[in-house]
Amino acid sequence: MIQLTNFWTNLVKNGEKNLDDVPDKIKSSVVNELIKLGIITDENIDAVKEAKIAEMSIVCNEIIVQGFDITLSDNQKHHFSLEVSDQLKISKLNDRANAGVTVLPYHADGEPCKFYSKDDIVTINTKMENCIEFQVTYFNSLRDYIQSMTDLNSVCNVEYGMVIPEEYQSEVLKALYAQTS
């Protein structure tokens, strides 16, 4: 990490590259090191915000991909990951279920493929949509909150899952929170 930081420090300091060229996956770590070195200051807060938003976007996506656990009509708990291909398959199965197909093949993580009932597929799809909707809505409000910040340390201390002040919660996020209360 020190070599990477020195590399980016030299490039950013010398103006040969823009901080935007740092891959999102490591941007927040690089920014934190540049802050410690005194290279990034409050004058560069927009770059810090961008790095933090990129980091939060990655975390949001990772949480979505991790998927969810659900108990189905067999009274067993099953786990479904939500890679993009999983999302598409579940959505297509839901379309088929809504078109009248009553027995649909699919598999939970680590389980063999089996037939699911129409009701189970609709339940899986609903849970998937709710998980994605919540995470994306939360991320959008978190992004707005980060963009409103004026203090470098506040931006750096943002963590995914933190409570977002109500004035930065979208109406949709407020409604989703109300549904879970």
Side-chain angles (χ1 to χ4, degrees), residues 19-29 31 46-62 139 142-144 146-147 155 158 160:
L19 191 59
D20 293 337
D21 296 328
V22 178
D24 285 346
K25 196 153 188 108
I26 61 168
K27 189 178 279 186
S28 187
S29 297
V31 166
D46 289 338
V48 178
K49 289 178 188 180
E50 286 178 31
K52 184 54 78 170
I53 290 168
E55 176 189 2
M56 295 299 98
S57 178
I58 290 167
V59 174
C60 175
N61 188 59
E62 288 171 349
F139 167 75
L142 185 61
R143 180 198 60 218
D144 293 346
I146 293 166
Q147 288 174 337
V155 175
V158 168
Y160 199 88

Side-chain angles (χ1 to χ4, degrees), residues 48-111:
V48 178
K49 289 178 188 180
E50 286 178 31
K52 184 54 78 170
I53 290 168
E55 176 189 2
M56 295 299 98
S57 178
I58 290 167
V59 174
C60 175
N61 188 59
E62 288 171 349
I63 289 171
I64 290 170
V65 167
Q66 286 172 8
F68 58 89
D69 292 326
I70 190 170
T71 301
L72 297 173
S73 62
D74 61 1
N75 292 319
Q76 299 292 312
K77 187 187 281 188
H78 303 276
H79 183 82
F80 293 90
S81 293
L82 293 177
E83 295 281 350
V84 172
S85 59
D86 300 317
Q87 295 175 37
L88 291 170
K89 181 67 175 173
I90 292 168
S91 181
K92 291 288 184 190
L93 287 170
N94 187 66
D95 290 346
R96 291 177 62 203
N98 288 329
V101 179
T102 57
V103 180
L104 302 136
Y106 195 55
H107 66 281
D109 289 6
E111 296 182 26

